[in-house]
Amino acid sequence: METYKLTVNGQPREVTVDPGTPLLWVLREELKMTGTKYGCGIGACGACTVHLDGVATRSCVVPVSLVGNRPIVTIEAMAEDPVGRVVQDVWVSHDVVQCGYCHSGQIMAAVALLKSMPKPTDTDIEESMGGNLCRCGTYVRIREAIKAASLQLR
Amino acid sequence: MAGKEETMQANNIMLRAILFILIVCVWSASTLTGAASRDEPQKTNAGGSIRAEGLAAWQQVYAVLTHPRCINCHTATDYPQQGDDRHRHFANVVRGPTGEGVPGQQCVTCHQEANADSTGVPGAHDWHLAPLSMQWQDPNDKILSSTDVCKAVTDRSKNNNLDSAGLLKHHSEEPLVLWAFRPGRGIDGSMRTLPPLTHEQFVAATRTWAEAGTPCPQNP
């Protein structure tokens, strides 16, 4: 077991875990932040996406030992984030969510996209969001919501 | 009578011993001769010898470059490959404009600064795809010939303007090259397969090839 000092949503946190523990389980089990979801556990579905130093990151495959001093931002902080707030609003106005399980990750990926690329094309959206799976098939609404958020953010 | 039999037995043993020694001598001589002929420069002059050694070293380098640990990120396609069967990378990963993926799916979305053996994700500094100019496969994922890979690797308009010293440095120090020789564990916990040379042997082969003037084989 090792002790790690992390910065999560701007707050200093300390955890003592096995170095190989995925960040996802540190967030969910140690810090009780359950907004980030477990989907596949191998980085293939995107449900566990968080931002690590601003980069959309699959927390299920990143051991806490490799996080270092990079700030971690999770879905719990999106309401306070200027882009995150807009994305959450369009998610509601476009009625994007069906079951909702994957949408923590979908929103984190969408925010990363819009921060990096404020005017994404359909191809940009499809490529950037292509690793975030939705069993309910809400992809069309996700794309429209991102385009709407892009317009609002200009 | 008994004494005569003993003498005959002793002579028989002596003859067998002499025969054995003769066989060993003949075998040793033929082996040494064979080794000498393998090591003997294939040449008519010193320049030819150096070129032949360079070409032989290049074939060793080529064997490493075309191993899945290397060639999976030297594709001609819009995506990386993974695994020893060089299948398309899962999760709809794409190359992106700089070979580092796209905003929601960068290479570093999963690949960190070091191997994550607990989760089976390989990692090294600045994980990314090689540029398309350094593709070592055709668009159908068929590995290019030794000649074509050699030409690409030595073409300074394609290889980030590396001369032979630069290529040697790249093979010696580049973190992603080093990773190929320490690729860590896969998702099933087993060690990833290694290129056919150690890193030290790979660098030595590259040095021999570089010192010979980075010769490329002719098309067959």
Side-chain angles (χ1 to χ4, degrees):
Chain A
M1 303 287 265
E2 297 280 342
T3 298
Y4 296 93
K5 292 180 178 177
L6 306 172
T7 304
V8 184
N9 297 336
Q11 301 298 312
R13 308 296 295 263
E14 191 170 292
V15 294
T16 300
V17 293
D18 184 277
T21 307
L23 175 59
L24 171 66
W25 298 113
V26 170
L27 294 171
R28 289 183 61 86
E29 298 294 327
E30 302 296 322
L31 302 179
K32 308 302 180 190
M33 299 172 70
T34 55
T36 305
K37 302 302 182 191
Y38 170 76
C40 65
I42 58 170
C45 78
C48 67
T49 304
V50 300
H51 294 174
L52 203 50
D53 204 13
V55 175
T57 300
R58 305 288 187 253
S59 64
C60 71
V61 294
V62 177
V64 67
S65 60
L66 295 180
V67 171
N69 58 7
R70 292 177 289 177
I72 302 157
V73 174
T74 70
I75 187 69
E76 284 89 347
M78 283 301 98
E80 308 303 322
D81 182 280
V83 177
R85 179 72 264 166
V86 170
V87 170
Q88 288 186 326
D89 286 346
V90 296
W91 240 246
V92 172
S93 62
H94 284 68
D95 201 14
V96 171
V97 173
Q98 191 164 318
C99 89
Y101 191 82
C102 69
H103 283 273
S104 298
Q106 300 281 3
I107 287 171
M108 297 305 286
V111 170
L113 166 63
L114 288 165
K115 286 187 173 180
S116 172
M117 198 179 281
K119 299 177 184 176
T121 64
D122 282 4
T123 300
D124 294 331
I125 295 170
E126 284 162 13
E127 288 184 343
S128 282
M129 303 297 292
N132 287 77
L133 304 184
C134 173
R135 287 186 65 179
C136 304
T138 61
Y139 301 111
V140 175
R141 296 202 295 274
I142 288 171
R143 185 173 62 196
E144 294 310 308
I146 291 173
K147 288 159 78 173
S150 172
L151 283 173
Q152 286 191 34
L153 287 164
R154 287 177 199 177
Chain B
M1 195 65 180
K4 192 177 178 182
E5 277 183 8
E6 282 174 7
T7 305
M8 284 177 69
Q9 277 184 345
N11 287 342
N12 199 5
I13 290 169
M14 181 82 75
L15 278 170
R16 288 184 180 192
I18 290 168
L19 187 60
F20 176 74
I21 290 166
L22 275 171
I23 290 169
V24 168
C25 287
V26 169
W27 177 81
S28 299
S30 66
T31 304
L32 289 171
T33 306
S37 66
R38 278 197 302 277
D39 292 339
E40 193 174 14
Q42 308 160 21
K43 53 138 171 72
T44 54
N45 55 55
S49 167
I50 291 170
R51 178 177 166 79
E53 287 173 10
L55 287 171
W58 162 254
Q59 283 306 125
Q60 291 185 296
V61 173
Y62 175 70
V64 171
L65 301 190
T66 51
H67 186 275
R69 293 295 81 71
C70 298
I71 203 167
N72 278 354
C73 288
H74 283 265
T75 65
T77 49
D78 191 32
Y79 51 81
Q81 296 170 323
Q82 59 184 169
D84 286 349
D85 61 354
R86 298 167 37 229
H87 59 268
R88 180 175 181 161
H89 195 296
F90 70 59
N92 300 318
V93 170
V94 294
R95 173 182 291 276
T98 61
E100 297 169 314
V102 288
Q105 282 223 99
Q106 299 181 47
C107 299
V108 294
T109 289
C110 292
H111 300 281
Q112 304 296 305
E113 291 282 315
N115 290 326
D117 282 347
S118 66
T119 59
V121 178
H125 178 64
D126 194 21
W127 197 269
H128 64 277
L129 273 169
L132 283 168
S133 63
M134 276 292 101
Q135 58 185 257
W136 299 337
Q137 309 183 37
D138 70 15
N140 296 315
D141 296 341
K142 184 181 176 207
I143 297 174
L144 298 183
S145 70
S146 172
T147 303
D148 289 341
V149 173
C150 188
K151 284 179 179 172
V153 168
T154 54
D155 183 341
R156 293 178 71 168
S157 71
K158 294 181 175 178
N159 77 357
N160 200 26
N161 199 29
L162 295 179
D163 59 9
S164 58
L167 288 169
L168 179 59
K169 182 178 168 65
H170 181 77
H171 285 187
S172 303
E173 299 175 9
E174 162 61 36
L176 289 175
V177 174
L178 295 174
W179 170 84
F181 299 89
R182 293 193 297 268
R185 295 183 184 280
I187 198 165
D188 64 356
S190 64
M191 298 301 289
R192 290 188 178 84
T193 60
L194 295 166
L197 303 181
T198 66
H199 183 246
E200 291 72 23
Q201 291 168 332
F202 177 59
V203 171
T206 303
R207 181 175 288 110
T208 301
W209 174 60
E211 289 174 353
T214 62
C216 288
Q218 301 297 313
N219 269 318

